[in-house]
Amino acid sequence: MEILGFGVQADEKPLLEKAFAAHHEIRCLDVFLNEDTAPIAVGHEIVCTSVNCDLGPGVLEILAAGGTRMVAQRSTGFNNIDLQVAERLGLRVARVSSYSPYSVAEFAWTLAMAVNRRVVRAATRTRDFDFRLDGLMGRDMHGRTAGIVGTGKIGEAFARIAHGFGMRLLGWDVAENPACLELGMTYVSKDRLLAESDLVSLHVPLLPQTQDLIDAAALKLMKDDVILVNSSRGGLVDTAALVAELREGRFTGVGLDVYEAEAGLFFLDKSLEAVGDDTLARLVTFPNVLVTSHQAYYTVDAVGQIVEATVQNVLDYTAGLRSANVLVPRS
């Protein structure tokens, strides 16, 4: 059977091909799945997708009409998939329920320290042989407060690093993580966490109830010199409201690996095109903001685990088996 993979990155392609070699053939495409590219999948029983693929009602209708019966999503997140429509059409949808939490947690800290210590500005200067220290002063993390919004596996890994720095830990989640409590974390209300933290890092999934979790009101609660990091999902932050606060000179630094309108931008080369997204164009001009293109998960360890889980999801489907990774059918 030939499986069609959409949105496959260059570094990811050989891992997928090697993992599938003993079982099925996979045809890897660098284009993302949307209504324009969905007809390519005609005749393919299984399609393999990434988080920036569009699996809305229109795309799912095209896939089902073309003979697709399974969607194997290569990510934990699935907010890009209309699960109700998929179930109505009789499609099976599976995701990767977990992979290395350290990949994302470590990258979140990379963003935090890069904006704290002005690493990008410093590196740009030294390339021009400008070795001044003006404007490069950061601050110790030791003794300051880390506010961790979402304390699942990734949030816990982030908290362990913060604990290593000697930071006070505040957490907010629907359920307390015993491992975080052992680190000395205090669970508080979201408002208190935002008001008291010197560093706020987001590690919750994007759900209807977490859309714009960090909105204008939430941003107003934060300290003027806070560091904000989002390595989870772009929709957690109201970016227009964030830009408004940055224009007022607030925040020591902001590190974003995700953006609420990243589909159609991230993972693509747009360097020779006019930027049509005015909010993103303004965001990247702030000297205290660092934006990366959804790469927090992108380690050989994490991608390897994602690939292995994706292969197993496909093998389960062909064998008529069901695992906890299956989202549709729901039972």
Side-chain angles (χ1 to χ4, degrees), residues 115-133:
V115 296
N116 176 39
R117 301 306 300 267
R118 314 292 196 262
V119 173
V120 175
R121 183 185 299 179
T124 302
R125 283 186 185 178
T126 54
R127 282 179 179 271
D128 293 330
F129 292 90
D130 178 353
F131 299 104
R132 294 172 299 159
L133 297 182

Side-chain angles (χ1 to χ4, degrees), residues 133-262:
L133 297 182
D134 299 354
L136 301 183
M137 185 175 288
R139 57 184 176 179
D140 293 357
M141 288 290 102
H142 179 83
R144 287 188 161 82
T145 300
I148 302 169
V149 180
T151 58
K153 292 180 179 179
I154 296 173
E156 178 189 331
F158 187 91
R160 290 189 183 280
I161 299 171
H163 180 70
F165 273 106
M167 300 185 76
R168 172 186 176 225
L169 303 179
L170 296 181
W172 178 84
D173 209 328
V174 294
E176 297 182 355
N177 183 337
C180 290
L181 291 172
E182 289 181 8
L183 293 173
M185 177 178 286
T186 301
Y187 280 87
V188 297
S189 68
K190 185 186 74 172
D191 287 358
R192 180 181 166 189
L193 181 149
L194 297 177
E196 295 184 13
S197 297
D198 301 295
L199 164 64
V200 174
S201 192
L202 309 181
H203 301 287
V204 295
L206 181 60
L207 303 168
Q209 56 268 39
T210 60
Q211 178 73 42
D212 289 338
L213 184 70
I214 306 300
D215 57 10
L219 292 165
K220 291 290 186 186
L221 289 173
M222 297 184 192
K223 295 180 178 181
D224 287 343
D225 62 351
V226 73
I227 293 172
L228 172 64
V229 174
N230 185 11
S231 58
S232 184
R233 287 292 182 268
L236 299 177
V237 178
D238 182 338
T239 314
L242 175 61
V243 168
E245 294 302 311
L246 289 165
R247 291 181 65 181
E248 295 297 320
R250 300 187 66 221
F251 304 164
T252 287
V254 175
L256 303 175
D257 185 52
V258 288
Y259 175 60
E260 58 185 330
E262 68 182 54

Side-chain angles (χ1 to χ4, degrees), residues 5-310:
F6 285 93
V8 178
Q9 302 300 308
D11 296 330
E12 185 184 16
K13 182 179 177 181
L15 297 177
L16 274 170
E17 291 176 339
K18 180 179 179 181
F20 272 107
H23 311 286
H24 299 287
E25 181 181 354
I26 183 166
R27 178 183 169 202
C28 295
L29 305 178
D30 58 3
V31 298
F32 291 97
L33 179 62
N34 53 42
E35 289 198 18
D36 293 329
T37 60
I40 302 173
V42 170
H44 290 85
E45 184 176 349
I46 301 173
V47 297
C48 187
T49 59
S50 71
V51 72
N52 273 359
C53 289
D54 173 9
L55 286 105
V59 172
L60 292 172
E61 293 276 3
I62 295 171
L63 292 178
T68 297
R69 294 294 174 262
M70 183 199 184
V71 174
Q73 173 102 331
R74 304 187 310 278
S75 71
T76 299
F78 52 91
N79 54 284
N80 60 320
I81 307 173
D82 191 319
L83 298 181
Q84 289 185 333
V85 172
E87 189 155 33
R88 174 174 61 79
L89 293 171
L91 295 171
R92 178 161 176 158
V93 180
R95 61 158 178 167
V96 177
S97 58
S98 65
Y99 56 85
S100 169
Y102 310 108
S103 61
V104 179
E106 290 172 6
F107 193 82
W109 266 108
T110 300
L111 291 174
M113 294 308 294
V115 296
N116 176 39
R117 301 306 300 267
R118 314 292 196 262
V119 173
V120 175
R121 183 185 299 179
T124 302
R125 283 186 185 178
T126 54
R127 282 179 179 271
D128 293 330
F129 292 90
D130 178 353
F131 299 104
R132 294 172 299 159
L133 297 182
D134 299 354
L136 301 183
M137 185 175 288
R139 57 184 176 179
D140 293 357
M141 288 290 102
H142 179 83
R144 287 188 161 82
T145 300
I148 302 169
V149 180
T151 58
K153 292 180 179 179
I154 296 173
E156 178 189 331
F158 187 91
R160 290 189 183 280
I161 299 171
H163 180 70
F165 273 106
M167 300 185 76
R168 172 186 176 225
L169 303 179
L170 296 181
W172 178 84
D173 209 328
V174 294
E176 297 182 355
N177 183 337
C180 290
L181 291 172
E182 289 181 8
L183 293 173
M185 177 178 286
T186 301
Y187 280 87
V188 297
S189 68
K190 185 186 74 172
D191 287 358
R192 180 181 166 189
L193 181 149
L194 297 177
E196 295 184 13
S197 297
D198 301 295
L199 164 64
V200 174
S201 192
L202 309 181
H203 301 287
V204 295
L206 181 60
L207 303 168
Q209 56 268 39
T210 60
Q211 178 73 42
D212 289 338
L213 184 70
I214 306 300
D215 57 10
L219 292 165
K220 291 290 186 186
L221 289 173
M222 297 184 192
K223 295 180 178 181
D224 287 343
D225 62 351
V226 73
I227 293 172
L228 172 64
V229 174
N230 185 11
S231 58
S232 184
R233 287 292 182 268
L236 299 177
V237 178
D238 182 338
T239 314
L242 175 61
V243 168
E245 294 302 311
L246 289 165
R247 291 181 65 181
E248 295 297 320
R250 300 187 66 221
F251 304 164
T252 287
V254 175
L256 303 175
D257 185 52
V258 288
Y259 175 60
E260 58 185 330
E262 68 182 54
L265 291 172
F266 282 18
F267 306 137
L268 300 172
D269 181 3
K270 297 290 184 178
S271 60
L272 298 179
E273 301 177 23
V275 178
D277 190 322
D278 292 340
T279 302
L280 180 60
R282 184 68 180 95
L283 188 64
V284 298
T285 64
F286 291 103
N288 58 334
V289 174
L290 176 56
V291 178
T292 52
S293 54
H294 207 138
Q295 71 181 79
Y297 78 99
Y298 208 52
T299 67
V300 66
D301 310 272
V303 174
Q305 292 166 13
I306 290 170
V307 167
E308 289 176 6
T310 300

